[in-house]
Amino acid sequence: MEAEEAEEVEVEVDGGLLAPVRAGTRVEALTSDRAWVRAMLDAEAALARAQARAGLISGEAAALIDRTAAALTVDPADLARRSRQSAGPVAPLVSDLRQAVSRAGPQPVTQGVSQGGSGEDVARLVHLGATTQDILDTAAMLVATRAVAVITADLDSLLALLADLAQRHRTTVMAARTLGQHAVPTTFGLKAAGWLTGVLRTRDRLRAIPLPAQLGGAAGTLAALVEATREPTPAGPAREEPCGGTAGGKAVRGKAVRGEAGRENADRPAGDREVAAADSPQRAIALVAVYAEELGLAVPLAPWHAERSVVGELGAALTGTARALGKLATDVILMAQTEVGEAAESSQGGSSAMPHKRNPALSVLIRSASLQVPAYAQALAQAGEHERGAGAWQAEWAPLRECLRLTGGAAETAVELVGGLRVFPDRMRANVDLTGGRIVSERLAAHLDKNDLRTLLDQDAPLDIPRDALDPDAPQDLLDPAGYLGAAPELVDRILAAYRERP
C-alpha cells in the first residue's frame, strides 16, 4: 500500500494574538518574516555592489543582481519549509535569487556598454565569497538597525512627554511609597522625572551600540574572497559549496567577473580604486568596509561569526529599555488602583464580565513586554561551537526578533500611555493625609523626644502636637507634607536640565 501524501498544512501569519503589545506596531512590520527576507536580499545586493566597487565583478553584473534582488518576491512560509533541509533560510533564498538572475537574461547594450554577460553567467556571481552566516547575521543587523531607529524615535517622543509631565507636576505633593507603604512626601514631578532618567539612559545606550555588517566567508578567514581577487587563471574543477566560497558551485573567471571590471576602474572614486589596487588579502579586508558602507552598517574589526558579543549587547540594551518602560507601567498600574485613584489611562480597559471596570490595559501590555524581554535575551550570544555555532547561533534568531518586537511595541504603547495619562493631584493630596500627619514622622524625629514621638504615633488619631513639646527651632509647618519635600523640586530641575542638554 502506497503511503498517503501528507496534507499541506495551512500557515497563518503570526499577528500578535498572544502578544498584543506589538500587534499593528511599526516595529512588528519591520521584524516580520517578509522584512527578514527583504533584509537578506538587501545583503546579497549590497555584496554585489561592493564587489563591483572593488573591481571584483562588473558594474553591470552587480546592477543586474541588485535589480533582481529588489524585485524578487518570496513566500516566507514556503521558504521556511525549504529551510529545514539546510537548517536556515539563506541556502534556498540564494537558490531563488540565482534562478531569478539567470531568468533575467542578458540586458540590452546601453550606450555601447556591455551589460556584463548572460543571466546565467551573472547568476554564478550571486553570493560570491560569502557564506550563510554572513547573509543572515548581516540581515539581522539590518533588521535591528531599522527597528532600533523606530524604537529610539518613540523613546524620544516619550521623553518629551515625560519632561512636560515632570515640569507640570514639579511641586505636586504625593506620598512616596517604600515596600508598598507610605514613606515620606515627594512630588509626582519627581516620580515622572525618575521615569525619564531610566528611559533616557536606555535610549542613549541603544543609540550607541554599533551594529556591524558580517562578511567572513566559510569560516571567517575571507579565503574565498582573497582567492577571487587574485589575477584570473584558467577555470578548474569547483568545490561543491552551494552557498559558500565559489559562485554557484563553479569557479567564475569570465567576462561577468572581470571582463568589464577592469575598464570601469578608472571611473571609480579614489577610495574604490585603492581597494581594487590592493593585494589580495588587503583587498578582501577592504571589501568588507565597502560592503558595510553599502548597507549603512558599522565596519567590523574582523568577522564575528563565533564572537557574539554584538548580539549580546543589543539584547542587553533592549532588556534595559523594556525594564525602564516596565517601571513606568508598573507605577501607573498601582496608581490607577481603585482605592488609590491617583492616575488613569486614556484606554477603555474594559472587562468581559464587569462593566464597571476600567483596567489599565496599556500599562499591562507594557509590563508584560518588560517581563518577557529579559527571558528572550538570555538566549542571545550563547557560547557556540568553534567557528560556527551548531544550534547556539540558530537559537538566537527568534529570541532576537522577539526582543525587538516586544521592546518596540512597549515603546510605542508607552507614548500612547503617557500622552493620554490623567493625573489627579487632589487624590494624591488626600492619600498623603490618610495617615494623619504620620507621613512626616522622619521630620518629627528631628524635633521631638523619641519617647514622646512614639507615644504620639501610637495614638489612633491624627497627630496633634502641642507647641511646647517641640524644640524652639521647630518650623511652624512641621506637619505640612508640602514643607518636607527635601530637594524634590530641585531634583526635577536637575534631571530636566540634563535631559535638555542631551542631543
Side-chain angles (χ1 to χ4, degrees):
M1 182 176 176
E2 294 183 2
E4 296 182 3
E5 283 189 20
E7 292 185 9
E8 185 172 341
V9 178
E10 184 178 351
V11 179
E12 296 183 356
V13 176
D14 177 6
L17 180 66
L18 302 182
V21 67
R22 50 97 167 167
T25 62
R26 291 177 295 167
V27 169
E28 181 182 50
L30 291 172
T31 57
S32 68
D33 282 354
R34 292 192 183 280
W36 277 82
V37 171
R38 175 49 46 200
M40 288 186 281
L41 290 170
D42 289 346
E44 293 286 0
L47 179 61
R49 295 195 305 271
Q51 290 171 343
R53 287 177 57 184
L56 184 57
I57 69 174
S58 72
E60 289 77 20
L64 178 56
I65 295 171
D66 190 36
R67 288 194 302 272
T68 306
L72 184 61
T73 300
V74 177
D75 176 12
D78 175 66
L79 182 65
R81 284 190 287 266
R82 290 185 287 139
S83 298
R84 291 176 59 83
Q85 300 303 313
S86 56
V90 175
L93 183 62
V94 169
S95 178
D96 291 349
L97 180 56
R98 282 177 177 153
Q99 291 176 31
V101 170
S102 184
R103 288 193 302 269
Q107 300 299 306
V109 173
T110 303
Q111 296 180 351
V113 179
S114 165
Q115 295 302 296
S118 70
E120 185 177 348
D121 289 337
V122 177
R124 297 190 184 105
L125 302 178
V126 172
H127 200 70
L128 178 63
T131 193
T132 292
Q133 190 167 359
D134 291 329
I135 301 306
L136 195 49
D137 275 352
T138 297
M141 294 300 100
L142 284 174
V143 168
T145 297
R146 294 161 182 170
V148 166
V150 170
I151 293 171
T152 53
D154 281 335
L155 295 179
D156 287 342
S157 298
L158 177 60
L159 287 167
L161 291 169
L162 289 174
D164 178 66
L165 197 63
Q167 184 64 60
R168 284 189 288 115
H169 292 282
R170 178 178 178 271
T171 58
T172 299
V173 178
M174 69 177 298
R177 297 172 173 94
T178 60
L179 303 184
Q181 305 292 308
H182 280 205
V184 296
T186 186
T187 72
F188 181 62
L190 185 58
K191 182 179 284 289
W195 298 337
L196 185 150
T197 56
V199 174
L200 182 61
R201 185 176 295 108
T202 56
R203 182 211 63 179
D204 290 349
R205 183 183 181 189
L206 201 52
R207 265 186 186 173
I209 293 177
L211 300 177
Q214 174 76 283
L215 185 58
T221 66
L222 294 168
L225 284 173
V226 171
E227 190 69 15
T229 57
R230 298 188 190 281
E231 289 303 311
T233 58
R239 294 167 295 173
E240 290 297 326
E241 294 186 29
C243 270
T246 58
K250 299 181 181 180
V252 182
R253 297 293 184 183
K255 172 184 175 184
V257 182
R258 297 180 179 277
E260 301 298 330
R263 290 198 293 273
E264 293 169 355
N265 194 44
D267 298 327
R268 293 192 185 91
D272 292 354
R273 290 200 301 272
E274 290 175 4
V275 173
D279 62 33
S280 293
Q282 291 303 320
R283 191 176 177 190
I285 292 171
L287 175 61
V288 177
V290 178
Y291 178 54
E293 181 184 319
E294 284 288 337
L295 293 160
L297 296 175
V299 179
L301 177 64
W304 45 280
H305 291 169
E307 202 291 287
R308 309 303 293 172
S309 60
V310 167
V311 180
E313 288 172 9
L314 176 58
L318 292 168
T319 296
T321 302
R323 282 175 173 158
L325 298 172
K327 166 58 178 169
L328 183 164
T330 301
D331 282 355
V332 172
I333 289 170
L334 296 173
M335 293 170 67
Q337 288 180 287
T338 305
E339 60 272 26
V340 178
E342 295 175 348
E345 291 186 1
S346 60
S347 66
Q348 294 302 311
S351 164
S352 65
M354 297 165 283
H356 72 281
K357 292 197 70 179
R358 187 168 183 173
N359 296 316
L362 299 176
S363 298
V364 169
L365 291 177
I366 296 166
R367 186 162 190 261
S368 73
S370 75
L371 296 174
Q372 292 178 75
V373 174
Y376 280 115
Q378 287 182 347
L380 302 180
Q382 297 289 340
E385 303 80 10
H386 295 303
E387 280 64 55
R388 175 148 312 117
W393 169 54
Q394 294 81 357
E396 293 176 358
W397 306 342
L400 175 59
R401 172 159 71 175
E402 291 308 310
C403 286
L404 291 166
R405 280 179 164 180
L406 291 168
T407 305
E412 187 169 323
T413 306
V415 173
E416 182 181 357
L417 168 64
V418 176
L421 188 66
R422 299 167 60 200
V423 179
F424 305 115
D426 290 346
R427 189 62 182 265
M428 290 178 176
R429 181 59 197 236
N431 287 336
V432 166
D433 294 335
L434 284 175
T435 58
R438 289 166 178 78
I439 197 167
V440 294
S441 65
E442 182 185 58
R443 188 185 198 188
L444 296 176
H447 300 283
L448 276 172
D449 175 78
K450 181 180 179 180
N451 293 328
D452 291 344
L453 176 59
R454 184 72 266 164
T455 300
L456 284 169
L457 294 176
D458 288 344
Q459 293 177 0
D460 188 17
L463 294 185
D464 184 14
I465 305 174
R467 189 68 197 176
D468 59 7
L470 299 171
D471 63 48
D473 297 327
Q476 294 295 320
D477 61 350
L478 189 62
L479 292 176
D480 182 5
Y484 195 60
L485 294 176
E490 291 75 20
L491 287 170
V492 172
D493 297 340
R494 180 180 172 84
I495 291 169
L496 292 180
Y499 159 65
R500 288 163 183 150
E501 290 172 359
R502 298 287 182 92

